[in-house]
Amino acid sequence: MARNIFTRGNEEVKTKRILVPVKGDSNADEEAMRLAYTYAQAKIGKGRHVAIDVVFVVEVPHALALNAELPEKVEKGEKALDHAETVARDMGVQVESSLLQARSAGAAVVDMARESGAELIVMATGYQKKLGELDLGRNIPYVLKNAPCRVWICRAPMVETET
């Protein structure tokens, strides 16, 4: 794995790395991207180097081979990554985007954070209730429990329902 180092003058400076997993089906994705990109801009404005990785994880069911072709999910992921790159370009930051296939998105995000040396993960979630309680699904709790770095969660606003 490459070292995240660049030089400023004669001193070596560690690259800060932000990981932004996207799902492609949520307005919260865009909010998480903008939060990560704004944070990166602030750090860059102070003369620090920040790399941003955006990832879409295609979850492969256990009944299929891990390298199974899932064209609809891959297309959804490519659209999500294209959107992430467009938002980044509009905000004047650069991102590296990746599409991964894995059994669990949460585990893939944690593995990628470890391998890349991410110092921050910024994730989005919608507002969903299950049995009257906020439901974060299985991936966000997994990442919160196992991530080697800070994790910021962007939750979509609660939708008011009329009774």
Side-chain angles (χ1 to χ4, degrees):
M1 182 172 74
R3 291 175 40 189
N4 292 330
I5 303 280
F6 77 102
T7 58
R8 179 173 42 209
N10 288 332
E11 71 180 90
E12 287 188 350
V13 180
K14 186 175 180 201
T15 300
K16 301 236 181 258
R17 214 164 186 88
I18 301 172
L19 177 59
V20 184
V22 293
K23 297 184 294 186
D25 60 3
S26 170
N27 288 335
D29 271 354
E30 184 154 344
E31 189 174 341
M33 288 184 285
R34 290 187 182 280
L35 177 62
Y37 300 169
T38 301
Y39 178 79
Q41 285 175 321
K43 294 296 183 186
I44 292 167
K46 292 181 179 180
R48 298 186 181 139
H49 184 70
V50 179
I52 304 170
D53 297 311
V54 179
V55 63
F56 182 94
V57 180
V58 174
E59 286 190 292
V60 181
H62 288 281
L64 300 175
L66 191 54
N67 63 351
E69 291 189 27
L70 301 166
E72 291 174 6
K73 291 182 178 185
V74 169
E75 182 179 343
K76 180 180 178 179
E78 288 172 348
K79 286 180 182 178
L81 294 173
D82 287 345
H83 181 67
E85 291 170 356
T86 299
V87 172
R89 198 171 29 256
D90 291 347
M91 292 185 69
V93 296
Q94 293 183 343
V95 298
E96 289 187 31
S97 58
S98 303
L99 189 130
L100 305 175
Q101 285 195 192
R103 299 285 181 208
S104 164
V109 167
V110 168
D111 288 347
M112 187 170 184
R114 280 194 183 109
E115 290 172 11
S116 69
E119 295 184 346
L120 173 64
I121 300 170
V122 182
M123 298 180 72
T125 185
Y127 187 86
Q128 300 173 0
K129 281 189 170 185
K130 192 180 218 179
L131 302 174
E133 295 291 324
L134 176 65
D135 180 25
L136 296 175
R138 60 183 166 80
N139 292 316
I140 287 177
Y142 182 91
V143 172
L144 287 170
K145 183 177 179 181
N146 296 289
C149 58
R150 287 189 187 134
V151 179
W152 291 354
I153 306 296
C154 294
R155 191 204 81 198
M158 184 184 331
V159 178
E160 296 293 328
T161 57
E162 295 182 29
T163 51

